[in-house]
Amino acid sequence: AINNMEVKLESDRQTKFNAKYVNPAKNRDININIDRIPGKSAHVVITNGARKHDLTFKVGDLNLKNIDGVFNIEVEGTSLGEQVKGSIKGSKNGDVNQVQMELEKGTKIYSN
């Protein structure tokens, strides 16, 4: 049952998006703040009390008006106090599209 909840959303629909969700009964105090430079980068900060994710995404070769499968997205920042760094890359060879992902979080490496 929801007995006490607060939700707030704000956006200029171009460069800023802010969201807040508070529900003390569920121990939730979540804030999402996104600042973006269209076509270049997005800085995303997500907090829930003391838990924090602070990530910057940088975009290269990604054209949403003409999706060709070739793109590069890099991410860098921290997640729950651990350093995060990685990338997602899309490439095309003839009719075959490939997506390659690599992410380092602390001492762990994730890739496909």
Side-chain angles (χ1 to χ4, degrees):
I2 298 173
N3 57 6
N4 185 11
M5 180 176 79
E6 174 189 348
V7 176
K8 182 177 181 181
L9 301 172
E10 298 175 326
S11 176
D12 66 3
R13 304 182 100 187
Q14 301 262 335
T15 60
K16 300 219 180 274
F17 175 80
N18 299 312
K20 180 176 181 121
Y21 166 67
V22 178
N23 186 339
K26 297 285 188 181
N27 198 28
R28 303 278 197 283
D29 184 4
I30 299 172
N31 289 282
I32 301 171
N33 298 302
I34 302 172
D35 292 310
R36 71 183 199 104
I37 300 171
K40 296 186 186 222
S41 66
H43 181 221
V44 179
V45 178
I46 303 169
T47 59
N48 182 15
R51 298 170 52 94
K52 182 176 181 180
H53 308 277
D54 186 338
L55 303 167
T56 299
F57 296 86
K58 294 181 181 175
V59 178
D61 300 326
L62 181 63
N63 182 351
L64 295 177
K65 293 180 181 176
N66 182 21
I67 299 174
D68 61 2
V70 178
F71 61 89
N72 184 36
I73 302 170
E74 294 181 10
V75 62
E76 194 168 332
T78 59
S79 176
L80 302 175
E82 289 189 277
Q83 193 68 27
V84 173
K85 185 175 184 178
S87 65
I88 302 171
K89 297 178 182 179
S91 62
K92 188 170 184 174
N93 186 0
D95 290 341
V96 178
N97 288 36
Q98 294 180 334
V99 176
Q100 189 174 16
M101 188 256 332
E102 185 172 302
L103 180 67
E104 297 176 29
K105 181 180 179 199
T107 59
K108 296 178 185 173
I109 297 175
Y110 307 92
S111 64
N112 64 342

